[in-house]
Amino acid sequence: MERETGRIEAFSDGVFAIVITILVLELKVPEATGSDFWHGVWEQWPHYAAYVVSFLIIGVMWVNHHTIFTHLKRVDRPLLFLNLLVLMVVSVIPYTTTVLAEHLVHGGRSANAAAVLYSSVTVAYALAFLAFWWYVTRVGHLFHEQVDKEGARATRLRFGLGAIAYPLTVLLSLFSATLTLVAHFLIALYYAANQIPIPLVVEEERLESASDLRK
């Protein structure tokens, strides 16, 4: 199964690429012409704002997903299904992005409902990714030998912060859809700037372990 890690990552990368491309296709062309063109562009600001936020969210997801797979030596059947679960939730983001952008244009209670939907999907993603990471670190049998399995297991709490932060955005959605979008942007920036390193075994410790095995 060692060769399968590259195949799974390539498939996942393709899904991420398609999802991000769909985000761009959902941007609306301004209907205004002539002197009203720039006014028409400004009226579409919710679409541009939602695009930027969702692009950043998906981009950070892809970076974390790629980082994990660079530390995996093999995959198994449960991990394949957990990976599919992660991709299934990611694939919904263009839809919720468009729904939120459309209703932000009009405002009102429908905008709050759209924000709840958008935030709920991010909660589902956070839980799916957390389940993926917990399975990988539960035994550590899929990691390369260089990975510090105990150290990787210790990152679970920081990895799961999204499972706490994103539900709070659902509550915020009930009061302000615009602030909810800002909150998602800030959370994505946090994860982009605060990548969680997967610790490796120090070379001397690995050599010592190999020596013990030979004995």
Side-chain angles (χ1 to χ4, degrees), residues 30-126:
E31 297 180 358
T33 59
S35 59
D36 295 328
F37 174 77
W38 288 111
H39 178 70
V41 171
W42 171 249
E43 286 184 335
Q44 297 294 327
W45 73 264
H47 290 276
Y48 308 137
Y51 164 77
V52 170
V53 173
S54 294
F55 188 98
L56 183 58
I57 290 174
I58 296 172
V60 172
M61 291 175 182
W62 174 78
V63 170
N64 287 332
H65 187 274
H66 172 71
T67 300
I68 290 175
F69 268 89
T70 58
H71 292 78
L72 297 184
K73 184 178 182 179
R74 60 182 65 86
V75 295
D76 59 11
R77 190 176 180 85
L79 187 70
L80 293 179
F81 283 107
L82 287 171
N83 188 65
L84 284 176
L85 178 62
V86 169
L87 297 179
M88 181 184 72
V89 181
V90 171
S91 300
V92 182
I93 293 179
Y95 165 72
T96 57
T97 300
T98 302
V99 172
L100 178 59
E102 288 285 349
H103 289 278
L104 271 175
V105 173
H106 305 291
R109 291 185 177 180
S110 63
N112 294 100
V116 169
L117 175 64
Y118 185 90
S119 297
S120 298
V121 169
T122 60
V123 171
Y125 174 79

Side-chain angles (χ1 to χ4, degrees), residues 122-131 134 156-170 187 191:
T122 60
V123 171
Y125 174 79
L127 294 176
F129 205 97
L130 183 59
W134 273 67
R156 285 175 168 182
L157 181 59
R158 290 180 62 195
F159 230 97
L161 288 178
I164 300 174
Y166 287 124
L168 294 178
T169 64
V170 176
I187 294 172
Y191 276 110

